[in-house]
Amino acid sequence: MKLSPYFQDLRSAYQAELDDLVSDSEGNDVLRKRLAEKRNEIAFLVQMMELAPEMVAVVFHRGFRFVKPAAVEHLLGLPVDDLPEWHSLTHAITLEPWAASLAETVLREPQGARFLAVAAGLEYLQQHARMAPAAASHADGDGESDDAEDAAEHDDGYDALSADDAADPKNNRSREEASSNWLSDVGFDRKD
């Protein structure tokens, strides 16, 4: 799979944006808190969709399910002027329930439908690092695996259920954890 120059450039900017949100100056894991804050500011952030799409796209972190990866991989190879609008991708990509209201806000904007396709592409690249340039350095032994990055991102015992897992949580513990994670993602304090 070949990435377009547009997605090659944005991929690293998107990852850098996520990396900036992961921890505070004391090294504490604050990703969920910062994402919740950004999600609450979506009405303001949409003004930056064209200028800095990576800064807005992070609000959809873990908000997509990729049911037809081939369609997403095709999207990632397209030049910026040929990118489809969101509505043509809904057969291949679905939104997590919590992300649907954010998408409604974005889709009210003139460039919102195209931006949502870009956000989905960036999140797909972040979740599937095998297509990212970092994957090549990992193959050479230079980089860390995506799993190691996810573990570092959540050093508080967080055991995420992947947004692209098609199966429902398998037992009460995983259902409770998924529920707790979702509540935390939308701004509620964790009870643990």
Side-chain angles (χ1 to χ4, degrees), residues 29 32 154-160 172-185 188-192:
D29 181 359
R32 284 189 211 101
H154 302 288
D155 60 359
D156 61 354
Y158 173 82
D159 184 19
N172 283 343
R173 180 185 173 276
S174 61
R175 277 192 287 275
E176 287 175 18
E177 185 145 340
S179 174
S180 180
N181 290 341
W182 181 84
L183 287 169
S184 177
D185 283 347
F188 292 94
D189 291 335
R190 294 181 69 80
K191 30 181 214 187
D192 8 79

Side-chain angles (χ1 to χ4, degrees), residues 6 10 42 44-57 60 105-116 118:
Y6 178 73
L10 275 183
I42 189 65
F44 170 75
L45 290 174
V46 293
Q47 299 172 41
M48 300 185 326
M49 285 187 310
E50 289 186 58
L51 182 61
E54 73 282 358
M55 293 180 74
V56 184
F60 290 98
T105 302
V106 167
L107 291 170
R108 284 193 285 266
E109 298 298 315
Q111 294 297 318
R114 190 179 74 85
F115 167 78
L116 204 52
V118 170

Side-chain angles (χ1 to χ4, degrees), residues 71 83-92 117:
L83 292 175
E85 294 200 349
W86 172 249
H87 307 292
S88 68
L89 297 169
T90 55
H91 72 286

Side-chain angles (χ1 to χ4, degrees), residues 44-179:
F44 170 75
L45 290 174
V46 293
Q47 299 172 41
M48 300 185 326
M49 285 187 310
E50 289 186 58
L51 182 61
E54 73 282 358
M55 293 180 74
V56 184
V58 294
V59 301
F60 290 98
H61 180 56
R62 299 192 186 250
F64 298 101
R65 288 185 188 216
F66 303 102
V67 293
K68 294 188 179 175
V72 183
E73 292 174 12
H74 173 73
L75 161 78
L76 295 169
L78 296 173
V80 66
D81 294 333
D82 295 341
L83 292 175
E85 294 200 349
W86 172 249
H87 307 292
S88 68
L89 297 169
T90 55
H91 72 286
I93 308 167
T94 60
L95 288 161
E96 294 289 349
W98 61 263
S101 65
L102 295 173
E104 288 174 13
T105 302
V106 167
L107 291 170
R108 284 193 285 266
E109 298 298 315
Q111 294 297 318
R114 190 179 74 85
F115 167 78
L116 204 52
V118 170
L122 290 172
E123 183 62 14
Y124 184 84
L125 285 172
Q126 197 276 329
Q127 289 183 18
H128 299 84
R130 65 185 163 78
M131 291 176 286
S137 67
H138 175 63
D140 297 333
D142 298 351
E144 293 181 24
S145 74
D146 208 28
D147 292 339
E149 289 174 27
D150 284 345
E153 177 178 296
H154 302 288
D155 60 359
D156 61 354
Y158 173 82
D159 184 19
L161 295 172
S162 176
D164 59 342
D165 282 346
D168 288 330
K170 306 236 183 297
N171 58 38
N172 283 343
R173 180 185 173 276
S174 61
R175 277 192 287 275
E176 287 175 18
E177 185 145 340
S179 174

